[in-house]
Amino acid sequence: MPPLITALANQPRFAAYVGTLSDVLGHADRVAPLKAYCTGLLLPGTHKSIEPMAAQIAPTRVQATHQPLHHFVAKGEWSNVALLARVRAMVLPLIESPGLIQAWIVDDRASPRRASTRSESAGNTVVSGKQDNCQVAMTLSLANAQASLPVAYWSGPLMVGTVRRRF
């Protein structure tokens, strides 16, 4: 294991954080992938998707690391609400200790998905006029001058012209 990963994995605060989250996951087999996933999120690098994280965590065993990480993220059978509540209960008091929450941040990102027919010729894409759909991700975060903490999220398809509130 590379020195940075070993140093991170051996930090008592990191181990306590992962340990506190692991009881929400509902099964002991999910603890090691949670630890690997959290480690990958904290490592340097701009790509926080599974394969680049697996390559940093275990450079000589990328495929063997990628599979359990992917399964952990894609097939998570725990309560996201309970997991966020546990994170919020642990982290929010630390964020508020130097100063109260000063802002609520709503981050909404949409990726257009075309529900239309496409034809390509000479490198050009022609889209015939159908209504677009979007894949939307929204996050609510609480923040002060020192830090921010996502406390709620919603993601899923959103039809143009419809609004659904989830917070």
Side-chain angles (χ1 to χ4, degrees), residues 5 14 25 29-43 47-59 61-78:
I5 296 169
F14 179 74
L25 298 179
D29 289 346
R30 297 180 186 136
V31 176
L34 171 68
K35 186 175 183 179
Y37 184 69
C38 289
T39 300
L41 291 174
L42 294 172
L43 290 174
H47 298 291
K48 299 301 179 180
S49 57
I50 300 301
E51 192 163 345
M53 285 181 5
Q56 278 198 292
I57 292 167
R61 299 176 22 118
V62 175
Q63 189 58 36
T65 306
H66 176 272
Q67 194 276 331
L69 277 176
H70 176 73
H71 189 272
F72 174 75
V73 172
K75 305 287 184 189
E77 296 177 8
W78 57 85

Side-chain angles (χ1 to χ4, degrees), residues 59-158:
T60 59
R61 299 176 22 118
V62 175
Q63 189 58 36
T65 306
H66 176 272
Q67 194 276 331
L69 277 176
H70 176 73
H71 189 272
F72 174 75
V73 172
K75 305 287 184 189
E77 296 177 8
W78 57 85
S79 166
N80 291 332
V81 172
L83 189 62
L84 273 176
R86 179 67 56 91
V87 170
R88 186 172 49 249
M90 290 181 348
V91 177
L92 192 55
L94 298 172
I95 290 176
E96 289 181 317
S97 64
L100 295 175
I101 297 300
Q102 298 169 335
W104 288 34
I105 303 165
V106 176
D107 181 14
D108 60 336
R109 298 171 189 237
S111 302
R113 295 171 55 187
R114 302 271 182 203
S116 56
T117 338
R118 295 175 183 261
S119 64
E120 294 185 14
S121 61
N124 297 323
T125 302
V126 179
V127 179
S128 63
K130 293 213 177 180
Q131 190 173 24
D132 288 347
N133 295 329
C134 289
Q135 185 71 25
V136 176
M138 295 178 66
T139 306
L140 173 65
S141 298
L142 303 177
N144 62 16
Q146 287 73 37
S148 68
L149 173 67
V151 293
Y153 76 96
W154 178 81
S155 67
L158 179 69

